[in-house]
Amino acid sequence: MTVEEASIHLVLSNTEDLHDAIESSLFQAKQELIQKADQVLLFVAKEKKWQLLQEAGRTLGFTFPSDSPIEVSTLSTHSLEDAFQSFHQQRASILSKLNQVNSFHGIIAVQQALLVNYLHWLGFWKDANTTMEPGAIKLSSVIDSMRFLQWLLSLKEQGVIHLHQLKEALIPKDIQHELSRLKILHERLN
């Protein structure tokens, strides 16, 4: 990468400080990841973009600090509610790591940890009993997590706490869409 190409990638003007341009780009990348943390199909493209920004910064002489690796635990799957809570707690913990990240490689590490956590979540639901037509599923349409939790709590009141107890008749259409979306994503990403 040439200095000119690097300046273009970082939208660096002649009068702008490299450090400010890097900080601004890091902030934008972090915001983008926070806003689209569940859009896992976009992760590959975002990673390529952030790799370019990291390379551009280095080309222009910027030294990025090292970022620590991020551990991802498996989901607690004792019950449907445990899996939900485990997934969301880990997701929040991973996203909180963005506060300590000071490089585009660090942002990529956070995104990769989010993906691993998401793959655990997808794996949990891969055998859910749904029969929605795949063509009717919009992969970018993520259900509100509070709606999903509300449904899980209603199942718990009915004595349904494990995945094997779940019958399709107990699944509202919006939740069927979400479970079908998760199953399709599981097939695509594995």
Side-chain angles (χ1 to χ4, degrees):
M1 177 179 295
T2 68
V3 170
E4 292 80 23
E5 291 170 330
S7 294
I8 291 169
H9 283 296
L10 286 168
V11 194
L12 184 64
S13 68
N14 290 337
T15 60
E16 193 169 10
D17 179 29
L18 175 60
H19 184 353
D20 290 343
I22 297 277
E23 289 299 316
S24 176
S25 293
L26 281 170
F27 178 77
Q28 289 173 358
K30 290 176 182 182
Q31 290 303 110
E32 184 179 344
L33 183 54
I34 290 166
Q35 293 168 358
K36 297 188 178 179
D38 295 319
Q39 299 295 328
V40 293
L41 294 176
L42 301 175
F43 281 12
V44 172
K46 287 194 280 184
E47 185 171 331
K48 287 179 184 176
K49 174 184 167 184
W50 296 332
Q51 289 281 14
L52 276 174
L53 291 172
Q54 181 89 10
E55 184 182 342
R58 284 191 176 140
T59 299
L60 294 171
F62 192 86
T63 304
F64 290 97
S66 296
D67 289 299
S68 302
I70 300 170
E71 296 290 321
V72 181
S73 303
T74 58
L75 295 183
S76 171
T77 57
H78 300 306
S79 70
L80 296 167
E81 185 181 359
D82 282 348
F84 176 88
Q85 296 292 354
S86 178
F87 168 70
H88 283 283
Q89 286 170 357
Q90 184 132 261
R91 180 183 179 279
S93 175
I94 293 167
L95 284 172
S96 75
K97 304 277 192 249
L98 282 173
N99 294 330
Q100 295 111 33
V101 166
N102 296 303
S103 71
F104 297 102
H105 282 167
I107 294 172
I108 291 168
V110 170
Q111 181 175 267
Q112 289 171 344
L114 285 171
L115 179 60
V116 169
N117 187 48
Y118 211 82
L119 288 171
H120 292 164
W121 180 241
L122 298 176
F124 178 77
W125 291 104
K126 72 180 179 359
D127 296 323
N129 192 12
T130 60
T131 56
M132 278 189 113
E133 288 296 318
I137 308 304
K138 186 175 177 186
L139 293 178
S140 63
S141 179
V142 180
I143 197 166
D144 178 75
S145 59
M146 289 303 104
R147 167 66 181 113
F148 201 83
L149 179 59
Q150 177 188 28
W151 171 66
L152 292 176
L153 294 175
S154 74
L155 288 175
K156 185 177 174 181
E157 289 174 3
Q158 299 171 51
V160 177
I161 57 171
H162 301 289
L163 188 59
H164 71 273
Q165 296 173 304
L166 187 59
K167 306 292 182 233
E168 190 168 11
L170 298 173
I171 309 172
K173 289 289 182 204
D174 60 337
I175 303 292
Q176 279 191 33
H177 181 278
E178 178 66 3
L179 295 180
S180 297
R181 186 185 77 81
L182 294 175
K183 289 168 67 170
I184 291 169
L185 285 174
H186 182 267
E187 291 171 15
R188 281 201 183 172
L189 296 172
N190 284 309

